[in-house]
Amino acid sequence: TDGTIDQRLAELKIPAKLYSTILKRSSSIQKLHQSQNEYFLKNLANFLNITRGLPITKENILVTRSSEIALFVLAKILLKENDYVAIADLSYYKSNMIFQTQQIKIKTIRTDQNGIDVAHLREICLKNPIRILYITPHHHYPTTVALSSERRIELLHLAKEFGFIIVEDDYDFDFHYSHQPLLPLASTDQNGMVIYAGKFGQYLAPGYRIGFLIAPQNFIKEAKKHLAILEQEVDPFTEQVLGEMIAEGEIMRILK
């Protein structure tokens, strides 16, 4: 199944009950005219701050129907023809295809039991002006190895030194069993060099799952313009369901 959850375990009843309740509220009709659900964004920002240590507000979040759409928007904004993108020697095929739509040049980095080889990345940076580094440090796709703490620190230093943007795809942060997860690179980035991509609600019924980007406010503002061309906003009632599930602690109980 390529690491997807057992659909028989997905939570169905709680979001369905909340959705029905929200539709019956007289105030719900007002949400149809909102460009975004402020209540949901505020609660999502709080959730990501608590679980991932991300020092963000709702102004730093772009919500999409999938993380792939978020990556596509990112690529449209940041890349131009012949830019260099660095990826792990083995990488997510959909992200590779998304970057290649911009007619870029790809450089691959060696990986081992500690994640991508940062020394090899330095060699690449000395020869080529890398624009973006795309990584999945929590569980490298597809080997599942975690990027070591030492290499995370080195990677942030490299990004500052060579001026490339780290796109951190944390597609499965919620799934960990034998140990606590390492906090994302974005949680310790002091120089604004990390854009964080993730998924929310993979453990819920399919209609309640979303993708998101965490980035500086000016980037999010530009990204929303591009997103408006690609898709309409996520269903405001679905966003309200997710916001209330976060606020009431249901999300944490389901995760546990």
Side-chain angles (χ1 to χ4, degrees), residues 94-144:
K94 286 187 179 179
S95 63
N96 294 348
M97 293 171 65
I98 288 168
F99 292 135
Q100 287 171 343
T101 62
Q102 305 308 305
Q103 309 299 315
I104 51 86
K105 298 177 181 178
I106 285 183
K107 294 293 180 179
T108 56
I109 312 162
R110 293 191 297 266
T111 58
D112 56 29
Q113 69 275 13
N114 292 310
I116 63 168
D117 185 337
V118 181
H120 185 217
L121 174 60
R122 172 177 282 279
E123 293 175 12
I124 292 173
C125 289
L126 289 170
K127 297 177 182 177
N128 305 282
I130 299 298
R131 174 64 171 158
I132 284 177
L133 166 67
Y134 172 82
I135 52 171
T136 52
H138 179 54
H139 289 135
H140 168 242
Y141 184 93
T143 67
T144 76

Side-chain angles (χ1 to χ4, degrees), residues 10 59 76 98 166 177 224 230 250 254:
E59 306 299 331
K76 291 291 291 183
I98 288 168
I166 299 173
Y177 306 98
K224 286 179 179 178
L230 292 172
E250 290 289 358
I254 292 169

Side-chain angles (χ1 to χ4, degrees), residues 3-241:
T4 57
I5 68 164
D6 185 340
Q7 299 293 348
R8 295 169 296 180
L9 301 178
E11 178 58 48
L12 300 172
K13 294 181 181 179
I14 295 174
K17 183 178 179 180
L18 262 176
Y19 196 97
S20 177
T21 300
I22 289 166
L23 286 178
K24 295 174 184 177
R25 295 176 189 163
S26 58
S27 60
S28 293
I29 191 65
Q30 299 173 3
K31 292 182 172 58
L32 288 173
H33 306 292
Q34 296 176 354
S35 60
Q36 56 187 10
N37 190 313
E38 299 288 336
Y39 175 81
F40 168 61
L41 290 176
K42 180 181 177 181
N43 278 285
L44 180 59
N46 289 339
F47 177 80
L48 295 174
N49 182 281
I50 292 169
T51 59
R52 294 162 171 80
L54 299 176
I56 61 170
T57 69
K58 59 184 177 64
E59 306 299 331
N60 300 112
I61 304 176
L62 177 75
V63 173
T64 65
R65 294 186 184 275
S66 72
S67 58
E68 287 79 14
I69 290 176
L71 282 177
F72 186 82
V73 170
L74 180 150
K76 291 291 291 183
I77 295 173
L78 295 180
L79 295 174
K80 61 182 184 296
E81 187 175 353
N82 293 323
D83 274 348
Y84 285 91
V85 174
I87 62 173
D89 191 26
L90 293 172
S91 188
Y92 184 40
Y93 72 97
K94 286 187 179 179
S95 63
N96 294 348
M97 293 171 65
I98 288 168
F99 292 135
Q100 287 171 343
T101 62
Q102 305 308 305
Q103 309 299 315
I104 51 86
K105 298 177 181 178
I106 285 183
K107 294 293 180 179
T108 56
I109 312 162
R110 293 191 297 266
T111 58
D112 56 29
Q113 69 275 13
N114 292 310
I116 63 168
D117 185 337
V118 181
H120 185 217
L121 174 60
R122 172 177 282 279
E123 293 175 12
I124 292 173
C125 289
L126 289 170
K127 297 177 182 177
N128 305 282
I130 299 298
R131 174 64 171 158
I132 284 177
L133 166 67
Y134 172 82
I135 52 171
T136 52
H138 179 54
H139 289 135
H140 168 242
Y141 184 93
T143 67
T144 76
V145 299
L147 185 64
S148 67
S149 299
E150 295 78 9
R151 290 189 179 182
R152 288 167 184 256
I153 295 171
E154 292 177 35
L155 199 53
L156 290 173
H157 289 161
L158 278 182
K160 182 180 179 181
E161 180 181 350
F162 291 99
F164 60 79
I165 297 165
I166 299 173
V167 177
E168 180 178 15
D169 190 344
D170 217 357
Y171 65 96
D172 71 340
F173 181 88
D174 292 321
F175 299 114
H176 47 270
Y177 306 98
S178 60
H179 55 81
Q180 288 298 312
L182 292 169
L183 289 178
L185 287 163
S187 68
T188 54
D189 174 33
Q190 301 296 318
N191 302 300
M193 304 305 290
V194 181
I195 294 179
Y196 183 82
K199 296 180 179 181
F200 181 82
Q202 294 184 83
Y203 34 83
L204 303 176
Y208 296 92
R209 302 170 189 174
I210 63 166
F212 60 85
L213 277 182
I214 305 299
Q217 292 184 26
N218 59 341
F219 180 89
I220 295 298
K221 186 176 180 180
E222 183 66 20
K224 286 179 179 178
K225 298 176 185 177
H226 288 261
L227 187 63
I229 299 172
L230 292 172
E231 67 171 17
Q232 298 299 311
E233 293 82 7
V234 177
D235 175 9
F237 302 135
T238 297
E239 290 187 334
Q240 186 68 22
V241 167

